[in-house]
Amino acid sequence: MGIFDSIKGEAQRNFIARADSAKGEIVYKYPEKNVRMKTQLTVDADEVALFVKDGKVEGKLGPGRHTLDTNNIPFLSRLLEGFTGGNMFMAEIFFVSNREHTGVKFGGPIGDVRDPETGLGIGTMVYGDFSIRVTEPEKLVVGLVGMGRASNEEFLGWFKGQVLKVTRDRTAELLVKKKWPLLDVTSGAYVEEMEQEILAGLKPHVDSYGLTIVRMGNFVVSIKPEDEITLKKLSKDVAYSRLAGGFQQYAQGQAMLGASEGMAKGGGGSDGAMQGMGMGMGFGMAQMFANQQNQQQQQQRPAEPAQAAAPADTRSPAQRLKEIKELKDAGVLSDEEYNAKRAELMKLL
């Protein structure tokens, strides 16, 4: 290292400010802990500088240029290191931005959500962004130091996880309580309601860190294309079954429709055979559903009074023997049936 580099390094140690590369960060931690007395500290208009020692905020400085001296900044006396003869103090210095930071992106899987309309569990994803503002820098810094997340990247990674967790819980809760069809949710029909619900759910999580989620944007709940096709098909079937008066009636109509299509196509050979089979299956399903419907209707009807018993047979055994002989001769009764009946009548003679 040359003499000019040494001079430059010493000059930098006499001036402290947020690094240019960190202007967009919510929290910036100055890399040095040992600070000389009389050092010039510059705080931008949209931030505050906090001095932390042993996890406790000892003091803060607002916007402007400050000379770090115990004569004009009394709390620095609590940070002095005695072995330096009062020429240095030790502290972690955090620059915390208090302006609104927009466009913080988040996203990830919500997990399986049950669609109230079809009962299917569908895997869902959520994407969007939010804006954040620090309202109490002291709470934020103490919380970050306590969690070991002093860098801006670590802090935002943790915070995005909190947003995703609340979004997952509130989305599932809304679908159950409001009975919103999942297709309506993914279409964006309930974006405003969901955003307000998620913001309310995030509040208790972020208040303890001195943060406020100002607003959310570009909020999208999505599902896989193949799941969307499945849901649309099932939703259509559910809607049609309601119009038809129930699933059995709808299924009966679908079976009849399939049978009609088979008859319209006709054809010979193997294709014709398959179409004939399909037509037969269609009629069979239709008949099955019709029989089930008739059975249900009969069970619901009041019992009808029993019919009067048929009058007793007053013919003599001889007359009945003659009648069965005529039925045998006419081929109505077989020899076996005739002999059985004749034996019964002979016992009566």
Side-chain angles (χ1 to χ4, degrees):
M1 180 182 294
I3 187 170
F4 291 106
D5 291 332
S6 298
I7 294 173
K8 181 179 179 180
E10 285 298 310
Q12 288 178 340
R13 287 176 59 86
N14 293 324
F15 295 93
I16 297 176
R18 180 189 287 262
D20 290 339
S21 59
K23 292 294 185 183
E25 295 186 357
I26 297 172
V27 179
Y28 169 71
K29 182 182 178 183
Y30 186 68
E32 296 288 340
K33 291 185 178 180
N34 297 319
V35 182
R36 293 177 180 178
M37 296 295 290
K38 308 292 186 181
T39 296
Q40 298 292 307
L41 174 74
T42 301
V43 182
D44 290 340
D46 59 353
E47 65 182 0
V48 62
L50 301 182
F51 293 74
V52 179
K53 188 172 184 179
D54 299 327
K56 179 183 177 183
V57 177
E58 296 290 350
K60 66 179 179 180
L61 297 174
R65 176 172 290 186
H66 307 273
T67 300
L68 301 183
D69 189 342
T70 55
N71 292 326
N72 53 24
I73 305 176
F75 72 78
L76 291 178
S77 60
R78 299 194 295 270
L79 308 175
L80 287 176
E81 294 294 326
F83 68 89
T84 65
N87 292 322
M88 297 188 70
F89 63 88
M90 181 178 290
E92 293 178 302
I93 302 177
F94 292 86
F95 293 86
V96 182
S97 173
N98 50 27
R99 64 179 173 84
E100 181 179 350
H101 288 260
T102 60
V104 183
K105 298 185 182 298
F106 78 102
I110 295 178
D112 285 348
V113 175
R114 187 168 297 281
D115 176 45
E117 191 170 55
T118 63
L120 289 181
I122 302 294
T124 53
M125 302 282 289
V126 64
Y127 301 96
D129 56 59
F130 57 89
S131 65
I132 185 173
R133 183 172 62 237
V134 179
T135 53
E136 298 180 75
E138 294 90 344
K139 280 187 177 182
L140 176 60
V141 169
V142 170
L144 289 176
V145 172
M147 293 188 299
R149 294 182 172 90
S151 72
N152 191 70
E153 182 178 353
E154 291 171 329
F155 157 67
L156 281 180
W158 165 81
F159 197 77
K160 290 176 182 180
Q162 295 297 306
V163 173
L164 185 59
K165 177 182 181 299
V166 173
T167 300
R168 179 189 301 117
D169 295 343
R170 289 303 173 103
T171 299
E173 184 179 347
L174 283 171
L175 286 174
V176 172
K177 288 184 176 180
K178 302 287 189 179
K179 299 187 182 304
W180 290 341
L182 190 54
L183 286 175
D184 289 346
V185 172
T186 57
S187 72
Y190 301 108
V191 166
E192 283 191 31
E193 292 94 327
M194 296 185 71
E195 288 180 354
Q196 293 304 316
E197 190 72 20
I198 292 169
L199 287 174
L202 280 168
K203 193 175 189 308
H205 292 270
V206 301
D207 277 355
S208 59
Y209 292 96
L211 295 165
T212 297
I213 304 294
V214 182
R215 59 182 61 86
M216 303 188 75
N218 301 316
F219 187 83
V220 176
V221 176
S222 64
I223 59 178
K224 293 179 180 179
E226 54 268 31
D227 288 336
E228 183 176 359
I229 293 173
T230 301
L231 273 182
K232 287 181 177 179
K233 174 66 170 61
L234 288 176
S235 297
K236 178 182 176 182
D237 290 347
V238 169
Y240 282 174
S241 70
R242 288 172 182 166
L243 290 173
F247 180 75
Q248 289 184 350
Q249 290 85 344
Y250 174 59
Q252 179 180 344
Q254 289 292 89
M256 291 297 292
L257 179 61
S260 299
E261 290 177 350
M263 287 188 294
K265 290 179 180 178
S270 61
D271 290 343
M274 291 301 294
Q275 290 166 3
M277 291 174 62
M279 181 177 67
M281 291 177 64
F283 278 123
M285 289 178 63
Q287 185 62 42
M288 179 183 68
F289 287 123
N291 292 339
Q292 290 178 352
Q293 185 67 18
N294 290 335
Q295 290 175 5
Q296 291 179 352
Q297 292 174 354
Q298 290 174 2
Q299 290 173 359
Q300 293 172 357
R301 291 174 183 169
E304 296 180 358
Q307 294 180 354
D313 192 348
T314 59
R315 294 174 300 171
S316 66
Q319 290 174 324
R320 292 163 64 184
L321 279 171
K322 181 181 178 182
E323 181 179 331
I324 63 172
K325 179 67 171 62
E326 292 174 351
L327 291 174
K328 175 180 176 298
D329 294 341
V332 175
L333 293 178
S334 65
D335 291 342
E336 184 178 353
E337 291 173 332
Y338 169 73
N339 291 331
K341 291 183 180 292
R342 184 177 182 280
E344 291 178 1
L345 292 172
M346 290 299 292
K347 293 177 183 179
L348 301 176
L349 291 174

